[in-house]
Each structure stands twice: as structure tokens, then as C-alpha cells.
Amino acid sequence: MKPLPHQDAALLRHSLQQIHTLLERRNWSAAYEALSVLNRDDDAWRQSPEFGEWCLLRSQSAVELAQYSEAVASARDAFCYFQLTTDNERIGLAQSIMGRGYVGLGDLKNALIQARDALATYRRVANERGMAQSHNELARIRFVRGEYSLAIEHLNDALELTRRLGDREGEARLLGNLGRIHLLVGRWPLAESVLVQALRCAESSGNKESVARNLLSLALVATLQHRFSGAGEHLDGVLACVEDASLVRERAIYHEYTGIWRYEQRHWVQAKESFRRALNIGRRLSDQNDLISQSLRGLAECEAALGDWAQSERLAREGLDVAIAIGERAEVGCLYRALAVALAHLNQMADASACMVKAQECLNAVGDVYELARCDLANAEVLSMNTTQTAATMDALQSAADRFASLNAAPQLRDARWLLVEAHVTAGDLVKASQLVCELTGAPDAATLTERQRHILDALTRQCLHHAVSEKNEFRLGGTPWARSLSEHPASDDLQQSLDFYRSRLAASRVILVEITSDGRRSGRVLSVSGADVTFASRVSAFVSGTSHQLLSVDTPQVFWSVATIPELVAYLKDESGAVPVSVITVPVELGPGSGGLLYADLCGSVDAQTGFSPRDLDFAVAFAEVIAWHSTRLKSERLFRDVQLLRDQVGRQCEFPSIITQNDAFREVLSRVRLILDADVSILLQGETGTGKDLLAKAIHYSSARRNGRFVSVNCAALPESLLENELFGAKRGAYTGADHDKQGLFEEADGGTFLLDEIGEMPLPIQAKLLRFLESKELTRLGDTKPRRIDVRVVSATNRDLTEEVERGTFRRDLFYRLSALSFNLPPLRGRVEDIPLLIDHFLAKIADETGRAVRIAPETIRVMCAFSWPGNVRELENELRKMVLLSVGNDVLTPDRLSHKFFENAPMAGFQAAETIPEHFRLYDQVAQIEQRYIIRALAEAGGVKKHAAEKLGIPESTLRLKIRQYSLDTD
């Protein structure tokens, strides 16, 4: 070695001292650049003492900047130089830096050699700080190789030395490393506690690299425990440190842990992006390192979660090659696991099984409990693809659950137990599956179900339901509607299906269900039969429904162990072939309100062959009678429901707008206006004379509106006294008055959701009007004697034949109530103003009366003319009553002639069809009156004949030529 000229050496030493200062300040980039400027290419430089110092500083800055190849090369040059000296401090530092560089390059074998040599060198000179650093490097190498117990020993030795030195920064770094190892061996609470200590030490020393690494480890702990919010906060803190200190490796780990954080939250696509970023940084650092293998494994698992098994296999193989090359045993096991799952889904089952065995071997050797538990889950997934491996699948899942339980990993344990539920469902063990579900969903810490867990729960529910309705259900006593809907072969007759089942379970020969009484009368009707012919069923029905015997009681169950010993039974129960039943059981059955029956079952055959029914059979028969009663009651209820629905539909059709018969323009205008406000939530007032159809229009409004499914309730305000009207409308509380022994619901409450018609509203007493007004304003009512208001949704329609404005002026009707009721008001024209509707109404009522009475009659045109000329003070109701009287007094297919009309039609009409006047008015012209009548009847005839003049002339009883003459004479528009 030759020293440089004194002047050059002095300048170099001064520059190298400045670079030392930069390294102490952790300004790695500036130090590296400054060293690059000092580098020379001459032999004198390379043989000078300053070159050895330069190499050592260069390796330090390079390893910190993750330029591992250059760090190893520079450290080797420094070692070669200082090996020729007695400077063991620098020799140990060079060996330590070489070890770190080899770790970065994935060469763990050489890394271990250099770290051991460095420790030995530092021991020779009793350098405790260097020894602590060497123990830390050895722990790191052992950690990467999965030798966690040895790593912990090295870290404990390093911690002892560091604490003796009072090095808080070094203590923070070592505690962080120790916490990360506790994390991987499954000691999560201990790991978190140690990492928190490490973070405090790092923060107090101001070492941002150590702060970042400890925050990363804390984020990973929180992620594995599914404390995602806390993990996110730690990751945010890491990002700030990484940005401030330009930490390259920590940035890669940040992206990797962010990927894990997102993966655990099932955000697969976002997790892939994070793992890709970590992978890119890892590849920039070196060709092979732990960041690359771990990022590739994360990507492979994301692709598996997304169902791209080919891509998952490719990534797992690539990561596995890296992990094997650098000797990262834990990652080798994890990547074999990922590869096994991908291969299984690609139907390469033999290769998948082999990979799974290797994964378990590696992870068992490492002792990573968490990854072993995940390996068990993966193994269960692979095994579940083989239907013969059900037991092995459940064993693997149980092993995973046990491992997660040992880690206190509650979320992962819950997921594993849900997979156990799925395995039990697949195996058909519904009892264990349901027990597990009850434990999982009933636990205090039960979480919201994931989509996979809901799918498992639905599968269990379907299996249980199908088992319940199948023949495997030992407690199933008969078919039910929900059983039919779930079974593959629904029965057409519930009662028949139940009797067939009853006969099968009882092993009976014949079963007969007989109705004994119906509505208090003897019926004796055979309702259903299983295994018996019609003749025998009729004999049994006649026997049990008769009154001349006391053998088969219809009140209590009975059993006849040996029918042959009872002659009367033998006589009645002998069939056409002369065979007599061995044993008989009869059970009374309730068949619905007012109906009772008997369920008969017998056992035929020789006495030697069959001993008859047993006590257990009798127990079953009594229990099953309840099922038959239920079926019978349900069938009756269904028939009643259909009848009620039919009546509702019929009433609705009769009361809808198309059923209102009119061709009158005024009435049509009213109907068109009413249609506009069918669903408007306002009160409606219908005014018109008695019999004009106000109640019919109110029903049409109800059945044509959105409230059609609610009730239509009508009350006549004039028909009830004041006290009774209030009680009926608003209801009463128990004890409100003498005789009120229970709460009574008012009519307004019964109409809740529907329409309420207040007929003859003008007759309502003033006190009731006040209470009605409050109800209309608030939509709340209070029962008589009660203090609690009730919210009611009802539309009020009121009707009256009075002029309410006059009633308001007289003070008999409240003005504010009138305005409330008449938000929308409609006046119905009287029948005398709708003369054109009379023939249509006559046809309608005659058809209606014919349907009711079975008497179809015809009406003479002269009778129609007389009826059209009548004033009809009772309006449409009077017209219907007149026609009904005429039809009832007719004989056969009689024609209703004018002489069948009541005397009132002729009292003021000397000539039929003309209105008589007491005196002839001034300027009276007879021909003008006759012309008006002719025009009116010609128009009516043309309308009824559809404009065909020939048919109109026949109706009028005149020649067609005369009709044409009259049309021209009166200038009638036949269109």
C-alpha cells in the first residue's frame, strides 16, 4: 500500500470526514453522491489507506439505499483492505455490511457466514454495539429462514447488550424485530405489546425508519385481528414516515401490507394493485428477495379469490422459485399452499395433493400457527372436491378452527366454523350443522353474515325443509300445503293424501272418513276413502251415522281388538266377500264449525296372521285425528275465502262506473268529473233527491279507487238517535255507559283504509257534527269514555237530499263542517231530467229481476211511453220498485201492458202518454204539442234502431215513408 501525496490525502480525509457526518445523519443519498465524486480510477488511489475507508463508507450508503450488489462488492473490497491491518472494528463492520447485502440479494447462506464472522470479530475487541448489531443480523437471517426460536435467542442477546449501552434507538429496532417474530409464531397479544414498546423507543430517538417498521408490524397485527380501522391508521402513519425519510424497502413493505389489509376485507382488485406496487419495488432492489416472493404470493391469492386459477398457478410457481432460491421456508410453504389450491381447481388433483403435503411439511417445520391454520383451510378446500373425502375435509376444518382458537383469532375462527357448517350440510349431518349455526348466530360477538355465509345458511335451510317434507321425517303426520309446494310430486287432494299416509303409517287395510253431522243435521256423508271400495264405505257411513246402535261412539275414540267377538259389528262390517276386519279403531274428528265426523280404520286378514292394532297405533290414530281436522277446516276455510272473494268481486263489478246506466249529458258530466278525483284524499259531498243513486255512486267511487281492497261502510244518520249514532260511529270504551261490558270498535275504525258513506248527513245532530269535524281535521278519533286518540285513515263521502246551504243559514248544520265535507260537491240529476235513461233502466231492472225470480217478461212499448212521461218523484228506486211489482204480479211469459201500472200513472193523465193541464194556457197550440211528442219518440226510435229507418218505423208502428216524411218535416239530424 502506498500513501497518497500529503496534500491529496488531507483533502480526501477531510471529505471522508464530511461523508461520515452525512451517514450519521442518515442522509444516505447525499453520502452516496459525495462518494461517487471522490472515486478515482488510478492505482495509487486503490492502494491508499483512504481507499479502504472509501469502500467501507460506500458499502454503508449502498446497503441503506438497497443497492445490495454494490454494497457487497464495496464491503468485500473494504474487508480485503482492513484484513491486512489490525483494525477489527472496520473488519467487523465490513463483514456485517456484506451479510446485510447478501440478505437483500436472497443469498442467506453467505449472509449467515458473514454475520457469524462479524459477531466473532466484534467479540475479539469486546465491541458490544457491534455484537448487538451482529446478533440482530443473525436474528434477521434466522427469521427469513423460518427459524424463529433461534431468531428470538439472538434478539434477546442483542437487547441485553443494547440496554447495557443505553442505546434507545437500537433498543427500538430490536424490540420491533422481536415483536414481528412473536407475530408470526402466533403470539399476537405479546407481539402487539412488544411493538408498542418499540414504537415508543423509536419515536423518542427520532429514528423514522424504526418508527415506520414498527407501525407496519402493528398494522399487520391489527389486520390479522380484523381491526381494519386501526390498521388503516397505522398504514397512514407509515406512509408519512416513508415519504419523509425516503425509505425504499419500507415503501415496498407498506404496499405489501396494504394489499394484505385489503385482501382480508375481500377487496380483491384493490389488493392486487397494492401487491403489484410492492412487487415492482422489490424487483428494482434485486432479482431475488423476500419482497418479490411475498408479493407474488399475495397476487396469486387475489387471483384465486377472483376465480382466475390459471393466473394464480402461474404467479404461485414464479413466487415459489424465488422463495426456494433465497431459502425462505415459511414463504415456500405458503406458496406451495397457493399452488395446491390453484391446481385442484384446474383438475390436477394428484399434483395438488403433492403440493399440499409439501406446504404442510414446510409450515410445520417453521411453526407459523396462523399460516398452518390457513393451510388447513386450503387443504379442506382441495379435499372437498373429492366426494369421498368428506371426513378428511371436516378434520382439516376442525384443525383450522383449533389453530385459530389458540391464536384468539375470532374472525378467522368464525369463518372456519361456517365452513364446517357447509361440510356438515354436504355430508347430510343437519343436526350438527344447525347446532353450529345456532352457536355462530347466537354468540354475543356474532357479526354480519358474508355472502358466502348467507349461501351456506340458505343451503342448510333448504336441506332441512326438504328433509322435513320427505318420508325420512319420522314425526311427519301428513301432507300439508307447504309440504306439497316443496315436494317433487305435489298431491292434488290434501285430504286424500293425508288419509293415504295415515293408512300407510298405521299399516291399516282400509281408512274411511265419514261426516256425521253438519250444521246440526245428520249427514252420513263419505268424505274420503283410502283402500276401501264405495260399497263398503257406504255401509260404514250408514252404520256410524245411524241412531239405532251404541257401538261406534262419535264422541270418544274407540278400539276393538277383535271384531269377531262382537256380532253386531260383524253384521255391519262384513264386506261383499264375507270377510270381517280383525281389528277396528275409530276416532271422532272436528271437521269445522258445526260439523263433526268419524275416522274409521280397520285391519283385515286372518287372526293367526295379524294380531290387530296395538296401543301405539291407537296413540297415533288419536294424534293424527288433529291433522285430519286441520285439513278439513282448512279446506272449508279455502272455500269460504273463495266465496267471499267471489262476492267481493261481484259487488265490485256491480258498483264500478261501467255499471252506472246513463246517456244523460248532465249525469255523464258528473261521472267524468268524479273519475278525475277517484284517488284524491278529500271529502266528497253527493247531493240529489232520494233515489237518484247517491249510494251507488259512492260505492263506484270506492271500488274504482286505490281503496278498493279496504272496507266500504255506510251509515244512515237519520236512522239512529243521537246517543246511538255517536256510539256506532266512534265506538266506546268498556264502562263508558251502562251495559258497556267490553270495548266497542266504531264504524270509522272498521272502515280504516277504506271509504265511509255518511248518508243523509243533513239529519246529523249538532253535537255529533262537532265531533265529526274534529275527526275530519285530525284524522284521529277518541272512543266514547276513552282518552287515547286513534289514528284512522278513511275517506269520507257524504250524501244528502237536502240543500245544506239552507240548513247552514237556518243554523241546523255547522258551516265549518259544510265546508269540510263539500271540498268536492256533485249534484245528481233526478230521473225526470233523464228521460232518455228510462228505457235503458227498464231493460236493466227487468233482467235483474228475471235473474232473481226466474220470471222473464216483456214490456209493451205503450207501457214504456207512459213510464217515460211520468215525473218519478222517487226517482230510480221508485222505477225499480214499480217494475218488480209488475213482474211479481205477472203470469208466465206475460207482456207488461199499461194496465199493469199503478194508478198514480193515470191520476193526472187523462190520456196515456200526455201530461194533463188543469187549464189551457194562453197561446196554446195543440199541433205544436203533438209535434214535440212526435219528435221525441222519433229520436228515441232512431237511437234504439241504430239509425236504421226501417227498424225505427217498425218500432213506431208507421210506414217507413211516413217516418222519412216526418224526419224532413222536423229537419231531424239522423246522425
Side-chain angles (χ1 to χ4, degrees):
M1 296 182 188
K2 296 181 180 180
L4 290 170
H6 179 72
Q7 186 176 3
D8 290 347
L11 289 172
L12 274 172
R13 284 195 293 272
H14 177 70
S15 298
L16 291 173
Q17 187 60 42
Q18 289 179 331
I19 293 171
H20 264 294
T21 304
L22 290 174
L23 290 176
E24 288 173 357
R25 294 175 181 173
R26 313 181 80 82
N27 194 344
W28 319 115
S29 299
Y32 185 83
E33 292 297 328
L35 287 165
S36 298
V37 172
L38 294 178
N39 191 17
R40 292 162 57 177
D41 198 21
D42 54 273
D43 293 339
W45 159 249
R46 293 188 175 277
Q47 295 178 8
S48 67
E50 287 76 12
F51 176 71
E53 186 71 18
W54 180 90
C55 289
L56 194 60
L57 296 177
R58 181 78 165 189
S59 65
Q60 280 183 278
S61 60
V63 79
E64 296 295 345
L65 293 172
Q67 298 180 22
Y68 299 120
S69 296
E70 185 175 352
V72 169
S74 296
R76 185 181 296 111
D77 289 342
F79 173 76
C80 291
Y81 175 83
F82 289 111
Q83 193 177 25
L84 301 176
T85 70
T86 58
D87 194 345
N88 287 304
E89 299 284 351
R90 283 178 167 76
I91 293 172
L93 180 58
Q95 290 171 327
S96 177
I97 293 172
M98 273 195 287
R100 290 178 63 188
Y102 280 127
V103 170
L105 293 172
D107 188 351
L108 297 182
K109 180 180 179 181
N110 280 318
L112 184 61
I113 293 171
Q114 294 299 329
R116 283 173 175 169
D117 290 347
L119 178 61
T121 301
Y122 284 129
R123 276 178 176 161
R124 278 197 297 271
V125 295
N127 186 335
E128 292 185 340
R129 189 178 301 278
M131 291 166 59
Q133 291 174 351
S134 297
H135 276 300
N136 185 44
E137 288 302 318
L138 285 168
R140 182 183 179 191
I141 296 167
R142 298 293 186 184
F143 169 77
V144 174
R145 292 178 60 169
E147 298 167 354
Y148 298 134
S149 59
L150 292 175
I152 291 173
E153 290 180 11
H154 283 300
L155 286 172
N156 286 329
D157 291 342
L159 272 170
E160 183 180 351
L161 292 167
T162 303
R163 285 169 177 160
R164 202 154 56 211
L165 292 168
D167 182 3
R168 295 284 290 173
E169 183 177 336
E171 183 181 359
R173 183 170 59 255
L174 293 170
L175 283 171
N177 294 339
L178 184 60
R180 280 181 279 279
I181 295 177
H182 285 312
L183 169 63
L184 289 180
V185 295
R187 302 167 189 162
W188 292 355
L190 178 59
E192 189 165 23
S193 174
V194 172
L195 288 169
V196 168
Q197 295 179 47
L199 182 61
R200 289 172 183 166
C201 291
E203 288 173 341
S204 65
S205 64
N207 188 335
K208 290 193 174 181
E209 179 184 357
S210 185
V211 169
R213 292 194 173 187
N214 289 314
L215 282 172
L216 282 168
S217 299
L218 285 169
L220 184 58
V221 174
T223 298
L224 295 179
Q225 293 177 332
H226 284 207
R227 294 188 282 112
F228 297 119
S229 177
E233 293 176 2
H234 291 317
L235 289 171
D236 291 341
V238 171
L239 189 58
C241 290
V242 167
E243 296 292 343
D244 289 346
S246 301
L247 304 174
V248 180
R249 181 176 174 84
E250 284 69 21
R251 182 186 292 276
I253 299 173
Y254 162 79
H255 288 304
E256 179 192 346
Y257 284 11
T258 301
I260 297 172
W261 178 64
R262 288 170 170 168
Y263 179 91
E264 289 295 324
Q265 295 178 81
R266 295 178 170 82
H267 300 157
W268 322 119
V269 177
Q270 295 92 325
K272 279 173 57 178
E273 181 60 29
S274 296
F275 285 126
R276 281 198 191 98
R277 292 184 179 183
L279 179 62
N280 291 335
I281 296 174
R283 282 174 169 163
R284 286 200 297 270
L285 296 177
S286 66
D287 294 335
Q288 291 181 334
N289 57 67
D290 56 333
L291 289 172
I292 295 175
S293 60
Q294 291 167 13
S295 300
L296 285 170
R297 194 243 300 184
L299 285 170
E301 290 178 341
C302 287
E303 295 295 353
L306 293 168
D308 191 343
W309 302 109
Q311 182 73 348
S312 178
E313 180 202 6
R314 185 188 68 77
L315 291 166
R317 288 189 185 280
E318 185 179 351
L320 183 60
D321 292 340
V322 175
I324 291 173
I326 64 176
E328 195 179 12
R329 296 177 69 186
E331 204 58 39
V332 169
C334 293
L335 284 159
Y336 268 127
R337 179 188 68 208
L339 181 59
V341 174
L343 290 171
H345 282 278
L346 293 171
N347 294 321
Q348 300 177 36
M349 298 305 298
D351 292 341
S353 299
C355 287
M356 188 58 67
V357 170
K358 292 178 181 178
Q360 290 172 328
E361 289 175 352
C362 290
L363 292 173
N364 275 317
V366 171
D368 188 334
V369 181
Y370 181 75
E371 294 299 343
L372 276 170
R374 293 190 64 199
C375 191
D376 287 332
L377 292 179
N379 189 29
E381 185 176 354
V382 173
L383 291 170
S384 67
M385 298 180 188
N386 186 344
T387 56
T388 63
Q389 297 289 330
T390 304
T393 301
M394 285 191 279
D395 289 342
L397 289 172
Q398 188 59 57
S399 176
D402 293 341
R403 294 186 198 275
F404 285 133
S406 69
L407 292 169
N408 291 321
Q412 293 87 341
L413 173 60
R414 187 165 47 248
D415 291 343
R417 296 187 75 192
W418 271 106
L419 294 176
L420 260 176
V421 173
E422 184 177 41
H424 284 305
V425 171
T426 303
D429 192 345
L430 303 182
V431 175
K432 287 186 179 179
S434 60
Q435 288 174 347
L436 266 176
V437 166
C438 291
E439 293 175 12
L440 288 166
T441 56
D445 60 342
T448 304
L449 298 184
T450 64
E451 184 179 352
R452 173 76 180 274
Q453 290 164 0
R454 283 195 296 271
H455 174 75
I456 294 171
L457 188 58
D458 290 342
L460 171 62
T461 304
R462 286 194 302 271
Q463 288 274 26
C464 290
L465 288 174
H466 281 292
H467 180 272
V469 301
S470 70
E471 295 300 324
K472 297 178 182 178
N473 178 7
E474 61 176 319
F475 301 108
R476 186 182 171 205
L477 295 178
T480 56
W482 38 265
R484 291 200 323 276
S485 65
L486 293 173
S487 63
E488 295 181 359
H489 304 288
S492 58
D493 186 344
D494 297 339
L495 204 56
Q496 182 62 54
Q497 182 189 23
S498 296
L499 252 65
D500 291 341
F501 176 84
Y502 176 65
R503 185 165 70 97
S504 171
R505 281 293 177 93
L506 205 58
S509 302
R510 296 172 292 201
V511 172
I512 304 167
L513 179 61
V514 178
E515 184 182 55
I516 306 300
T517 59
S518 179
D519 297 328
R521 296 175 296 176
R522 284 278 179 179
S523 169
R525 185 162 59 99
V526 177
L527 296 180
S528 189
V529 173
S530 178
D533 57 38
V534 177
T535 303
F536 183 78
S538 300
R539 288 173 58 82
V540 172
S541 173
F543 180 52
V544 300
S545 61
T547 58
S548 60
H549 67 85
Q550 301 295 327
L551 285 174
L552 299 183
S553 172
V554 297
D555 299 323
T556 58
Q558 286 185 296
V559 58
F560 300 93
W561 309 112
S562 177
V563 175
T565 61
I566 308 172
E568 188 174 358
L569 275 179
V570 171
Y572 273 96
L573 300 181
K574 185 184 297 183
D575 61 20
E576 293 181 346
S577 64
V580 178
V582 175
S583 186
V584 169
I585 290 178
T586 62
V587 184
V589 181
E590 291 290 336
L591 299 177
S595 181
L598 198 71
L599 182 61
Y600 169 95
D602 66 19
L603 195 59
C604 298
S606 65
V607 179
D608 294 334
Q610 290 179 279
T611 58
F613 292 120
S614 67
R616 190 171 183 273
D617 294 330
L618 179 60
D619 291 343
F620 176 78
V622 172
F624 196 82
E626 297 177 3
V627 176
I628 296 295
W630 181 86
H631 275 307
S632 176
T633 303
R634 184 182 60 80
L635 291 173
K636 287 190 176 183
S637 298
E638 287 181 355
R639 286 195 292 270
L640 287 173
F641 175 80
R642 288 195 296 269
D643 292 343
V644 170
Q645 192 62 42
L646 184 63
L647 289 173
R648 286 175 62 90
D649 294 342
Q650 184 178 351
V651 170
R653 287 193 299 271
Q654 290 174 353
C655 297
E656 289 176 348
F657 279 98
S659 65
I660 298 178
I661 299 169
T662 184
Q663 289 187 348
N664 180 264
D665 291 339
F667 205 176
R668 283 182 173 181
E669 177 64 22
V670 171
L671 296 179
S672 63
R673 289 170 56 204
V674 168
R675 283 192 178 94
L676 296 176
I677 51 87
L678 283 175
D679 294 324
D681 192 16
V682 294
S683 300
I684 298 175
L685 176 63
L686 304 178
Q687 299 185 94
E689 297 179 4
T690 300
T692 52
K694 297 186 292 296
D695 57 341
L696 179 62
L697 182 56
K699 291 178 181 177
I701 292 171
H702 172 74
Y703 286 105
S704 300
S705 72
R707 295 176 177 267
R708 66 178 67 88
N709 293 324
R711 289 195 61 185
F712 177 83
V713 179
S714 174
V715 65
N716 191 319
C717 299
L720 297 172
E722 178 181 335
S723 59
L724 189 56
L725 181 61
E726 181 179 6
N727 183 30
E728 289 296 319
L729 289 178
F730 300 101
K733 184 176 175 60
R734 179 181 178 183
Y737 53 85
T738 303
D741 55 354
H742 63 279
D743 289 349
K744 175 179 172 57
Q745 188 180 49
L747 294 177
F748 276 125
E749 289 184 67
E750 291 188 15
D752 191 15
T755 305
F756 196 96
L757 173 61
L758 286 167
D759 202 6
E760 302 299 342
I761 186 68
E763 304 288 343
M764 180 176 284
L766 281 170
I768 308 299
Q769 291 181 28
K771 195 165 184 178
L772 174 62
L773 178 63
R774 286 196 300 273
F775 168 67
L776 292 175
E777 289 176 343
S778 64
K779 292 294 185 180
E780 291 183 346
L781 60 80
T782 305
R783 290 179 179 178
L784 187 64
D786 200 358
T787 58
K788 179 183 177 181
R790 301 168 189 271
R791 186 79 179 173
I792 304 297
D793 175 27
V794 66
R795 184 186 203 176
V796 175
V797 179
S798 51
T800 181
N801 59 4
R802 295 186 178 188
D803 187 348
L804 290 186
T805 56
E806 294 182 2
E807 299 295 329
V808 169
E809 295 300 327
R810 285 200 293 267
T812 59
F813 199 84
R814 294 178 62 98
R815 187 181 299 275
D816 47 5
L817 178 60
F818 170 70
Y819 291 134
R820 174 66 67 176
L821 292 174
S822 60
L824 291 170
S825 180
F826 301 99
N827 289 299
L828 277 62
L831 187 57
R832 60 180 174 275
R834 301 165 48 197
V835 176
E836 63 272 32
D837 289 343
I838 293 177
L840 301 177
L841 291 169
I842 290 173
D843 290 342
H844 168 71
F845 286 132
L846 286 178
K848 176 183 174 183
I849 296 167
D851 290 340
E852 294 174 358
T853 64
R855 297 186 181 185
V857 298
R858 293 179 297 118
I859 187 168
E862 295 83 359
T863 308
I864 296 176
R865 285 195 288 271
V866 173
M867 298 178 80
C868 288
F870 188 63
S871 60
W872 298 107
N875 294 293
V876 179
R877 189 178 295 120
E878 184 181 8
L879 172 62
E880 181 181 5
N881 291 338
E882 182 67 25
L883 289 169
R884 189 176 298 277
K885 181 203 70 173
M886 294 170 69
V887 170
L888 292 175
L889 294 177
S890 64
V891 179
N893 295 326
D894 205 353
V895 177
L896 302 180
T897 55
D899 59 310
R900 300 292 182 86
L901 294 168
S902 302
H903 293 294
K904 60 186 177 184
F905 287 87
F906 306 104
E907 289 176 353
N908 298 320
M911 297 179 61
F914 293 91
Q915 183 176 1
E918 294 182 1
T919 59
I920 297 176
E922 188 176 0
H923 306 298
F924 174 80
R925 295 293 183 270
L926 178 60
Y927 289 109
D928 292 341
Q929 297 295 323
V930 172
Q932 291 179 13
I933 295 173
E934 283 187 344
Q935 289 181 55
R936 185 168 61 192
Y937 281 99
I938 288 171
I939 291 172
R940 167 56 59 195
L942 286 169
E944 293 180 355
V948 180
K949 298 179 179 64
K950 178 179 179 181
H951 296 165
E954 291 176 356
K955 284 180 175 291
L956 295 170
I958 60 175
E960 185 178 354
S961 57
T962 304
L963 175 61
R964 291 180 182 277
L965 178 63
K966 293 289 184 182
I967 292 172
R968 288 195 299 274
Q969 179 182 346
Y970 297 129
S971 300
L972 299 177
D973 186 359
T974 56
D975 294 333

